[in-house]
C-alpha cells in the first residue's frame, strides 16, 4: 500500500504477488493488486482481482466502487451498473458511489434524470466537493441546461482551478452558449494542465 501511495505501482504489484503466493484469496491483497494494475493501465487484469476480492468480501464498498469504475473503463456498462447498484443497496447515500455512477452515466448520455438525482444527493452530502460540483454541472450540460451547467462547473473551478477536465467542461459549456472566445480561453487552460490532450488541441484549432 505504501508503494502504491507513492506512485510506485509496479513495485506494489511485486510485493502483492508475493503475498498472494501465501494466500491467493486474501481480500485486501487482491483489491490492492487490482488498484496497482489499474494504475498501470492494465484494467482488464485488474478486474479479475477485484472480482476475487468481492467474492471474499461481497459488501465492501471500496471494492465495488473500484470494480464499477474498471468495468466502465472497459466498456462493460452492464457489469459496471450492476456493481454500482449493489454498492447503493449497501449504502444508498454514499456520495462517492452516487457521484461516480452519475458521472459515468452522464458520459454515456444514459439515464440522465437518474444521474441528476444521484448527483443532487452527493452534493447535499458534500456541497464543497469540486468533483461532485463538476459532475452535476456536466449532467446539466448533457441535459442542455447550460446556465445551470455554467454555475456548477464554475463553482467547481473556484474550489479546484487545477483540473484539466473541469476547465475543458467549462469550455464546452461556453461553446454551446455561443461564447466561443470564453470557450477557447478555458480550453487553453485545460491544455496547459494536460498538454498532450489531442481532443482539446483540436477544439482550440477548430474554434480559434
Amino acid at each position: 500500500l505504501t508503494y502504491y501511495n507513492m506512485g510506485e505501482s509496479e513495485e506494489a504489484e511485486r510485493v502483492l504477488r508475493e503475498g498472494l503466493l501465501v494466500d491467493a484469496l486474501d481480500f485486501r491483497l487482491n483489491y490492492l493488486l487490482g488498484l496497482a494494475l489499474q494504475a498501470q493501465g492494465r484494467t482488464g487484469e485488474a478486474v479479475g482481482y477485484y472480482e476475487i476480492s468481492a467474492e471474499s468480501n461481497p459488501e465492501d464498498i471500496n471494492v465495488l466502487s473500484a470494480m464499477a469504475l474498471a468495468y466502465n473503463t472497459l466498456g462493460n456498462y452492464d457489469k459496471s451498473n450492476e456493481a454500482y447498484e449493489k454498492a447503493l443497496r449497501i449504502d444508498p447515500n454514499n456520495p462517492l458511489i452516487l457521484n461516480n455512477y452519475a458521472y459515468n452515466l452522464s458520459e454515456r448520455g444514459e439515464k440522465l434524470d437518474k444521474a441528476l438525482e444521484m448527483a443532487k444527493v452527493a452534493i447535499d452530502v458534500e456541497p464543497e466537493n469540486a468533483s461532485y460540483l463538476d459532475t452535476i454541472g456536466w449532467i446539466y450540460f448533457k441535459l442542455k441546461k447550460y446556465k445551470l451547467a455554467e454555475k456548477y462547473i464554475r463553482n467547481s473551478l473556484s474550489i479546484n482551478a487545477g483540473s484539466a477536465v473541469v476547465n475543458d467542461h467549462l469550455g464546452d459549456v461556453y461553446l454551446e452558449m455561443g461564447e466561443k472566445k470564453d470557450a477557447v480561453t478555458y480550453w487553453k487552460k485545460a491544455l496547459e494542465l494536460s498538454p498532450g490532450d489531442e481532443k482539446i488541441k483540436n477544439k482550440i484549432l477548430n474554434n480559434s
Side-chain angles (χ1 to χ4, degrees), residues 66-196:
M67 189 159 57
L69 283 172
Y71 276 130
N72 186 77
T73 300
L74 294 171
N76 193 336
Y77 302 135
D78 288 341
K79 285 278 193 180
S80 177
N81 292 352
E82 182 183 318
Y84 279 129
E85 294 289 350
K86 184 172 182 179
L88 289 175
R89 286 195 294 273
I90 297 165
D91 188 356
N93 294 313
N94 185 293
L96 180 63
I97 298 294
L98 289 164
N99 176 77
N100 290 352
Y101 193 7
Y103 187 75
N104 287 167
L105 289 174
S106 71
E107 281 287 271
R108 300 180 228 148
E110 295 178 8
K111 302 178 182 177
L112 293 177
D113 290 337
K114 177 183 176 74
L116 181 59
E117 290 306 310
M118 291 192 292
K120 285 179 177 178
V121 176
I123 287 292
D124 285 343
V125 177
E126 295 188 27
E128 299 299 316
N129 187 303
S131 294
Y132 299 177
L133 289 166
D134 175 60
T135 292
I136 196 168
W138 193 238
I139 294 167
Y140 279 125
F141 173 82
K142 293 284 187 169
L143 290 167
K144 303 185 187 303
K145 297 182 178 181
Y146 301 123
K147 280 293 184 183
L148 283 168
E150 179 193 17
K151 170 189 170 182
Y152 282 103
I153 294 173
R154 286 189 70 89
N155 285 347
S156 176
L157 285 176
S158 73
I159 296 168
N160 177 21
S163 169
V165 170
V166 181
N167 278 284
D168 181 34
H169 283 172
L170 189 55
D172 289 355
V173 171
Y174 281 130
L175 181 67
E176 293 300 327
M177 293 172 71
E179 299 176 24
K180 191 177 288 188
K181 183 177 179 181
D182 287 337
V184 171
T185 295
Y186 281 96
W187 286 331
K188 285 182 177 179
K189 289 181 181 179
L191 191 61
E192 288 174 8
L193 295 162
S194 183

